[in-house]
Structures are given as C-alpha cells and as structure tokens.
Amino acid sequence: CLEEEGDGLAKPLQPRIKDVWEALLACSEHQAAESRRLGLEDMEELVLAHLHSFPAHLGRSLIGRLVQQLVLGQSLADGDGKLRAAELLQALSPHLPQLLPIAREVASATCDHLTAKSDVLAAKLMQKLDPDKDGLVQEKDFLERALDVLNLEVENVAVGVALPALLKNADFADIFHPAMAACLGISVDATP
C-alpha cells in the first residue's frame, strides 16, 4: 500500500490523453476551441481537474517519495552513515496504519492549497505547451507534452509543498524521525 514510483498520476493518463484533449475542447468557453486550440482558461481547468484527482495518489506515494528524497540527499552527502530506502521502509512498515492517514491529510491540504494557485500553475503549463507563444495550445503540442508538463509543473510542485508539511506534522515526526535515526545507527535516548 506504499507506492514509491515517481510517475505520478499523469502517467496512467497516457492511453487517454486524446480523450482529455477532447473533453477540454468540449468544455472550453474559449473561442479558439472552435479551431481546436485551447487557451489559458482551459489550462486552468486542467490544473483544477488534476489537483482534484491527485490527493489520493499523492497520499499513497508521499512516504515513499520522502524516503527517496532523503536517500538521494544522503547519497550526495559526505560521511559514513548512509540511509538505505529498503531498511527505512521496513522500519516504517508497522506504523503505516498511523502514517498513511497523515500522509493523505497532508496531500489533500496541499492540493487544496495549490487549487488557490491554479492560475499560476496554468500559466506554467501554458509556457510549456505553447511553443509558438501565441497564447493557444495546439492539439499536437498537447498530446506530445501534456503528461510531462503536468508531472513537472503540477505534481512535482505538489510533492515539493507536501514533503515539508508532512515532516512538520508532529504525529508523523514522532514515528518517522526515530525510525530514520535507527536506520542511520543513531541512538535516540528518550531521557534528558
């Protein structure tokens, strides 16, 4: 029940990306939809739809993503103690019934927060999906780039916001930090 993959939610959309394009066109209030192009407002609708669907996936994968980030950081650091992902995930495994609801709550709050920033995220999508900078996304560009752009500009941003929030959660930290310390061979003494 702990997903570690970094493909995000956008990757499973690959077979249906044409359907997503058609749905955006059908719902578009932009005049360009008649010419089979999408505008900034349509990109914002895409961002909002993605953020609405993303919390469930993010909640399931957030702990694994945190471990991946920490292991990567440790691999770049000098020193003897190196964190091993499998060992940390194994140490956390008995605590998943307590940790996963916290991760889901943080994921939901993160996506709610980012929903208020949907215009900014949509502008980022537009920059990447509108190579000719005419303010309109063409079908070819959307089909070729939308999944990667959603992953980069929406999902990675959500992960970047969610990970610090997860670590700041006291209930999560009470379980996570001792497990990480133990995996690094650091003794955690509860007495002052």
Side-chain angles (χ1 to χ4, degrees):
C1 191
L2 185 62
E3 297 177 17
E4 292 182 68
E5 88 285 338
D7 288 337
L9 184 62
K11 193 68 171 175
L13 288 176
Q14 181 64 50
R16 301 193 57 212
I17 194 64
K18 178 77 170 170
D19 295 336
V20 172
W21 169 261
E22 293 298 335
L24 285 168
L25 278 178
C27 296
S28 179
E29 295 179 10
H30 197 276
Q31 295 170 347
E34 295 172 9
S35 63
R36 300 199 48 86
R37 296 183 294 169
L38 298 172
L40 181 60
E41 300 84 11
D42 305 311
M43 294 301 100
E44 188 168 2
E45 289 298 321
L46 177 60
V47 167
L48 290 168
H50 202 66
L51 288 172
H52 178 75
S53 301
F54 194 52
H57 175 78
L58 181 59
R60 286 190 309 270
S61 66
L62 201 53
I63 297 168
R65 287 175 182 237
L66 173 61
V67 170
Q68 287 174 339
Q69 291 284 322
L70 291 170
V71 169
L72 176 61
Q74 283 285 310
S75 71
L76 299 174
D78 292 332
D80 295 333
K82 297 291 183 192
L83 188 60
R84 288 179 298 283
E87 188 179 337
L88 181 53
L89 289 171
Q90 183 177 7
L92 293 172
S93 183
H95 304 285
L96 288 179
Q98 295 92 12
L99 296 177
L100 285 173
I102 296 168
R104 287 186 196 108
E105 182 180 311
V106 166
S108 182
T110 295
C111 290
D112 286 348
H113 170 73
L114 290 177
T115 296
K117 310 277 186 194
S118 63
D119 58 331
V120 174
L121 295 171
K124 294 285 192 183
L125 260 67
M126 187 60 106
Q127 288 175 350
K128 302 280 195 289
L129 293 174
D130 179 21
D132 60 7
K133 306 298 180 214
D134 66 353
L136 298 170
V137 176
Q138 297 183 34
E139 182 175 5
K140 175 184 164 292
D141 296 323
F142 184 87
L143 297 178
E144 288 175 0
R145 299 184 185 131
L147 297 177
D148 291 333
V149 172
L150 280 169
N151 200 328
L152 178 68
E153 299 296 345
V154 178
E155 294 182 7
N156 284 350
V157 170
V159 170
V161 171
L163 289 179
L166 186 62
L167 287 170
K168 288 179 184 175
N169 181 290
D171 293 331
F172 183 86
D174 287 347
I175 296 170
F176 186 81
H177 292 292
M180 188 173 81
C183 289
L184 288 170
I186 300 169
S187 175
V188 180
D189 188 0
T191 59

